[in-house]
Amino acid sequence: MHNGNIDHQTAATTGGVPGNREVEVQAEPEAQQPRNVSDLFVQCLVNEGVEVIFGIPGEENIPLMEAIKRDGRIKFVLTRHEQGAGFMAATYAHETGKPGVCLSTLGPGALNLVLPVAQANASTTPLVAICAQGNVNRLYKESHQIVDLVSVFRPITQWAAMVLDAAAVPEMIRKAFSVAQRKRPGASCLVLPEDISQLAAPVQAEPLPLPRPVHTIPAPDTIVEAANLIGAAKHPVILAGNGVARSHAEQQLKEITELLNVPVATTFEGKGVFSDKHPNALGVVGFMKHDYENFAFDTADLILAVGFSIQQFDPIKINPNNDKVIIHINTFTEDTDAHYPASLNIRADIKNTLVALEAELRKRTISFEPSHPQIRGLLQREYESCKADMSFPMKPQRVVYDTRRAVQGDWPVLVDTGALKMWMARLYPTYEPSTCVIDNSLSTMGWSLPGAVGASLSAPGVPILAVMGDGSFMMNLQEIETAVRYGCRIVILVWIDNAYGLIKWKMDMHTKDHEFVDFNNPDFLDLAASFGAKGHEITSADELYPVLRSALRSGSGVDLIACPVDYRENMKLISKLGDIDFAS
């Protein structure tokens, strides 16, 4: 019943003229937009468990971005460079175990993804890259921003393809994620042309059901053969790579080494799969010169390689004379290398293989005498050698020591490529997998700052430490803005030497001189402030530990710590390693 009052909506409908008979007009229901290929694409991504995409949109993927917004279940993280997006996605994948997803537009945007996609593929990290493309009717000719992206990405992925049929979307997305997570994980790339993305989706097209996980088991005869080879050895050593973490087989590795009393060395990328607190831990192999751990391989007659791939370092470092029996355990057969002639390849789930091998070994009486305790002693002495050293710029040994003191046991530390990688890999004690993350397959510079953003978004509230040289820091520093904007909790520790330190080190080793490697740096305090981050400049050796500890425990925001380092220790280390002779 009309009560004489006219609300604003009714007045607008009737012209708002008092005394006129009120006519109720119901608003037309908003027509539901027909589902297009982009909507189907997003549905399939959600079905695969995608929760976040890192990237930069462009004109050609506006339909896909609109579909992401309409669906509302995927968080889109806007980055400042596509390279940063790829590194964020790869580190997100490394920390969660789920494929990371990055997105770009066509042409130049897609080409900026090449480096992180190649890095993920090399380090067996599951990653799916989504690239836009121009309309299909101009792909056959020279056209603005058109690049044959499938041909670009095919050599650096497990699979790359372009969507040309709307009905193929569910299968192609299922394949992209399946390939990224197969027995040798890696990257895949899907290219979506703009006109295809706007086509009507077939009514019957729906996301495919996810397959049940498949965990392969080793053939029983190969387990018996492995046990026979181990039983015939006199000085075996275990080499553990990043595949152990990927398969969550750390406990099984620990049980086998304790059963046999066999020493364990890890690759740089395998740091943490075997705790450095364990008495059988040898540290890492992969340094550019004959390091302490290499002496264990010099005297070994059998190498049990678990989760190792030769991309992590050149096998000539551990088998220069081709005189070792090698048992290779991984989810994939290793590539050919003259210094890695596996006597036995066991291609199966790593955890299942170690469980079966331990059961077989327990049927026998096999144990070895403790070996190479001097290696642990040398490492510990070097780690503690500069803990009270007050010289400044700081010695690398003290920077590593104070960093380990400041970092709580399981907080992730991402170590970039450069001279600092050598010091951190060798000396930073690591007790859990994925708590000291190093890229030593492609050895990419500049990944750890954006990587810290990806790691932070995978574990909100957990402080993430990115350790970088000043050369690598300047390559992706723009992502500090991304970190601040998304409320990430990260600390960036920059080792300052005003040079590309690792190249300088190698030049000094080569000719005792160097050239073309020195540069200048910005004011780090002003730089941090300009991004809304907190800046800290270390001016004496006793400042780093309290500043780093406080930054990691502050509970919010982004901290940038600039710490001058004295790399004259680099050549002193080379000289010291050259003088070691365990035989004397």
Side-chain angles (χ1 to χ4, degrees), residues 395 397 423 505 566-579:
K395 291 182 178 176
Q397 299 94 320
W423 290 103
W505 189 351
D566 182 2
Y567 275 136
R568 288 179 296 179
E569 292 296 303
N570 292 352
M571 292 305 292
K572 293 178 184 177
L573 173 63
I574 297 300
S575 177
K576 180 174 69 173
L577 292 176
D579 290 339

Side-chain angles (χ1 to χ4, degrees), residues 2-67:
H2 177 49
N3 59 10
N5 294 326
I6 301 176
D7 62 27
H8 294 292
Q9 184 175 356
T10 303
T13 303
T14 62
V17 181
N20 283 5
R21 179 174 164 274
E22 182 181 346
V23 178
E24 260 186 54
V25 179
Q26 292 188 347
E28 288 288 331
E30 186 176 338
Q32 187 171 357
Q33 180 171 336
R35 187 180 65 154
N36 63 20
V37 166
S38 291
D39 293 309
L40 176 60
F41 202 97
V42 172
Q43 282 183 282
C44 293
L45 292 177
V46 171
N47 182 63
E48 295 291 338
V50 176
E51 297 174 340
V52 59
I53 296 175
F54 304 88
I56 300 178
E59 178 184 350
E60 284 72 17
N61 54 18
I62 289 175
L64 183 60
M65 300 306 299
E66 291 172 340

Side-chain angles (χ1 to χ4, degrees), residues 83-102:
Q83 190 178 110
F87 289 138
M88 290 177 199
T91 310
Y92 182 93
H94 188 280
E95 293 299 304
T96 64
K98 301 186 297 184
V101 182
C102 53

Side-chain angles (χ1 to χ4, degrees), residues 468-484:
M468 318 181 72
D470 45 3
S472 57
F473 170 74
M474 294 294 290
M475 293 183 175
N476 272 310
L477 64 87
Q478 71 279 351
E479 301 304 344
I480 295 176
E481 191 278 329
T482 307
V484 170

Side-chain angles (χ1 to χ4, degrees), residues 410-433:
D410 59 352
W411 288 345
V413 177
L414 315 183
V415 180
D416 219 289
T417 295
L420 81 158
K421 181 174 80 171
M422 300 301 171
W423 290 103
M424 286 290 290
R426 295 178 64 254
L427 297 182
Y428 185 82
T430 308
Y431 315 124
E432 300 289 340

Side-chain angles (χ1 to χ4, degrees), residues 150-163:
V150 173
S151 295
V152 168
F153 282 96
R154 185 175 287 126
I156 56 171
T157 59
Q158 303 290 316
W159 182 64
M162 182 161 57
V163 179

